[in-house]
């Protein structure tokens, strides 16, 4: 063919060329596939999110996959088991009988009177104490229906099954101190006396003035503010919040020492260190039914307001004591002062230059004990 000549294309060839072009363009994804893929992706994300918020089942003590039972236990009204340890003189010869309520991330092995009180004083005063694992801690069965009231009833049933008599003393420290308030509400007729040592305070109790509550709340670490917000407003997210790695979780749940004040650090420097049982038993059944449920209960919506309680000892047949350090960064002194003003029947003891662990200072536990029992030096 000569240069510059016009190439003639037949009609059949043109139609064939057009069909090839159309065939190439039809290789695109079918209509609506992107919506389906997006739906599948979102469903996967939601399924992952749901699973991430679901705590694993607890490892029940005595079950094939759970820790062994090493301490005596009682069987409660609903079939749960409550584990306990007894200290001091035998209860049959005791003059004073005390039930001790352990704190956050502790267990029955953290009985203040067993570890910090003078053995000679315990013997001289004929004091019997029993500490127990709160539900989900140590070797006590979890209680998925746990409330402040149910714990008070557990304490009453423990006393009855151990034969402690019609009245007994109750002492609690930190989170255990907070959970003594339900005893004053639901079983006051069983109490001979009560002591709350550096008790944790729920910022959402209705009768706290908002300005005081907010002032104290915003003095906390940001991570703890968020952890408590989640526990109070979105309790179903508590497990996820305290196990995820994107944001800092509760400093208490992570066992951080960052919130301890200088007086606390001085006391900690003198500790011999926890025993093996103190280290391993508190959360051996799982962190959700112990630590996380503690946060949900302690900072949830209570069915009563402790600041509306009436004096359980109107005839001075017993007494209620609150001990508080002025440099406590877990249980702020401002809230404790307000509670003491609202409830003038409380005997409030504020210690200067003292933190959350002041009860472990030399001689302090003896002082707390003698004050509760109204024993003179």
């Amino acid at each position: 063919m000569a240069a510059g000549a016009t190439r003639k294309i037949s009609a059949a060839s043109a139609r064939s060329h057009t069909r090839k072009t159309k065939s190439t363009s039809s290789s695109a994804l079918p209509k609506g596939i992107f919506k389906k893929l997006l739906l599948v992706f979102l469903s996967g994300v939601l399924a992952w999110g749901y699973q991430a918020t679901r705590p694993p089942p607890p490892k029940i003590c005595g079950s094939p996959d759970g820790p062994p039972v090493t301490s005596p236990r009682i069987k409660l009204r609903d079939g749960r088991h409550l584990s306990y340890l007894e200290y001091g003189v035998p209860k049959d010869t005791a003059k004073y009988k005390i039930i001790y309520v352990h704190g956050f991330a502790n267990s029955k092995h953290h009985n203040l009177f067993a570890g910090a009180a003078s053995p000679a004083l315990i013997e001289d005063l004929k004091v019997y104490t029993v500490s127990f694992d709160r539900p989900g801690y140590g070797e006590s069965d979890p209680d998925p229906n746990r409330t402040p009231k149910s714990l008070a009833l557990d304490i009453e049933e423990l006393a009855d099954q151990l034969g402690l008599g019609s009245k007994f003393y109750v002492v609690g420290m930190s989170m255990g101190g907070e959970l003594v308030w339900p005893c004053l509400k639901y079983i006051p007729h069983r109490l001979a006396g009560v002591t709350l040592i550096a008790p944790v305070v729920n910022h959402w109790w209705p009768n706290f003035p908002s300005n005081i509550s907010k002032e104290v709340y915003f003095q906390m670490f940001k991570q703890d503010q968020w952890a408590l917000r989640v526990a109070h407003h979105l309790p179903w997210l508590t497990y996820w919040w305290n196990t995820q790695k994107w944001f800092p979780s509760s400093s208490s749940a992570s066992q951080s020492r960052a919130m301890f004040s200088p007086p606390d650090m001085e006391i900690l420097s003198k500790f011999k260190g926890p025993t093996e049982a103190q280290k391993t038993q508190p959360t051996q059944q799982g962190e959700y039914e112990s630590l996380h449920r503690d946060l949900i209960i302690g900072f949830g919506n209570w069915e009563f307001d402790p600041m509306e309680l009436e004096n359980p000892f109107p005839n001075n047949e017993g007494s209620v004591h609150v001990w508080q350090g002025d440099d406590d960064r877990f249980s702020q002194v401002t809230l404790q002062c307000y509670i003491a003003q609202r409830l003038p029947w409380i005997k409030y003891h504020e210690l200067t230059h003292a933190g959350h662990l002041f009860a472990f200072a030399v001689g302090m536990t003896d002082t707390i004990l003698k004050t509760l029992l109204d024993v003179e030096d």
Side-chain angles (χ1 to χ4, degrees):
M1 181 180 296
T6 302
R7 183 183 178 185
K8 294 182 178 179
I9 302 176
S10 67
S13 176
R15 285 194 298 271
S16 174
H17 180 75
T18 302
R19 281 197 299 270
K20 288 181 181 180
T21 303
K22 289 182 179 180
S23 175
T24 302
S25 65
S26 67
S27 64
L29 291 173
K31 184 179 180 180
I33 189 66
F34 286 112
K35 290 184 179 180
K36 293 180 180 178
L37 288 174
L38 181 60
L39 181 60
V40 170
F41 174 75
L42 292 177
S43 298
V45 170
L46 290 175
W48 171 85
Y50 175 78
Q51 290 299 324
T53 63
R54 303 296 296 173
K59 298 179 179 180
I60 306 297
C61 281
S63 66
D65 297 327
V69 176
T70 63
S71 300
R73 306 198 299 178
I74 63 168
K75 192 171 183 178
L76 297 168
R77 60 199 174 277
D78 58 2
R80 289 180 294 113
H81 293 90
L82 203 70
S83 180
Y84 66 93
L85 283 177
E86 299 171 289
Y87 302 89
V89 303
K91 59 176 175 284
D92 294 336
T93 62
K95 183 178 180 181
Y96 304 103
K97 299 169 184 177
I98 300 174
I99 296 178
Y100 182 78
V101 188
H102 70 76
F104 187 82
N106 287 176
S107 72
K108 60 180 178 290
H109 294 282
H110 294 82
N111 186 329
L112 177 67
F113 299 115
S118 165
L121 180 65
I122 296 292
E123 189 70 28
D124 290 344
L125 296 180
K126 296 183 178 179
V127 175
Y128 160 92
T129 67
V130 58
S131 57
F132 65 99
D133 289 324
R134 293 195 279 107
Y137 277 101
E139 297 175 359
S140 289
D141 293 339
D143 182 2
N145 300 314
R146 178 153 58 111
T147 64
K149 181 178 182 178
S150 71
L151 183 67
L153 298 181
D154 285 353
I155 290 173
E156 182 179 36
E157 191 166 357
L158 175 67
D160 288 341
Q161 292 203 34
L162 294 182
L164 301 190
S166 61
K167 292 202 173 187
F168 47 86
Y169 294 86
V170 176
V171 177
M173 181 173 180
S174 190
M175 183 73 82
E178 181 191 33
L179 295 172
V180 169
W181 290 111
C183 293
L184 291 167
K185 169 67 175 179
Y186 297 110
I187 59 169
H189 56 290
R190 302 300 305 275
L191 304 176
V194 169
T195 291
L196 298 83
I197 304 170
V200 170
V201 177
N202 186 339
H203 302 82
W204 287 276
W205 286 343
N207 278 312
F208 275 137
S210 59
N211 60 324
I212 295 178
S213 182
K214 288 180 179 178
E215 174 190 346
V216 171
Y217 182 78
F218 287 111
Q219 289 175 2
M220 303 175 70
F221 291 154
K222 288 289 186 183
Q223 67 192 84
D224 293 314
Q225 292 177 29
W226 276 105
L228 297 190
R229 282 193 189 105
V230 170
H232 181 79
H233 297 291
L234 300 168
W236 54 276
L237 271 181
T238 301
Y239 169 76
W240 175 82
W241 184 264
N242 287 288
T243 55
Q244 51 79 34
K245 305 300 181 184
W246 299 340
F247 310 103
S249 61
S250 163
S251 62
S252 296
S254 62
Q255 306 291 294
S256 170
R257 291 191 173 188
M259 278 187 66
F260 286 113
S261 64
D264 287 327
M265 295 305 296
E266 183 178 352
I267 289 176
L268 285 171
S269 69
K270 300 175 183 178
F271 274 6
K272 296 179 181 179
T275 64
E276 187 63 23
Q278 289 174 331
K279 287 191 296 184
T280 61
Q281 283 207 6
T283 60
Q284 66 179 352
Q285 297 185 88
E287 291 189 357
Y288 180 74
E289 290 295 345
S290 53
L291 305 185
H292 302 161
R293 196 173 290 280
D294 247 9
L295 294 174
I296 294 170
I297 298 299
F299 297 97
N301 290 315
W302 282 28
E303 65 268 26
F304 74 97
D305 188 340
M307 285 180 286
E308 294 180 345
L309 290 173
E310 297 181 355
N311 185 359
F313 306 113
N315 300 317
N316 295 320
E317 66 274 29
S319 55
V320 178
H321 301 266
V322 172
W323 293 81
Q324 175 68 33
D326 68 347
D327 196 8
D328 188 332
R329 301 178 186 180
F330 291 86
S331 306
Q332 291 84 353
V333 67
T334 305
L335 296 180
Q336 307 289 11
C337 288
Y338 185 80
I339 294 172
Q341 292 171 0
R342 285 290 302 263
L343 304 176
W345 43 268
I346 286 179
K347 297 185 178 181
Y348 179 65
H349 312 269
E350 185 176 309
L351 306 177
T352 58
H353 310 298
H356 194 63
L357 303 178
F358 67 85
F360 293 97
V362 176
M364 194 66 232
T365 300
D366 288 359
T367 299
I368 292 171
L369 179 60
K370 288 186 287 187
T371 302
L372 171 64
L373 303 180
D374 195 21
V375 176
E376 296 181 358
D377 291 326

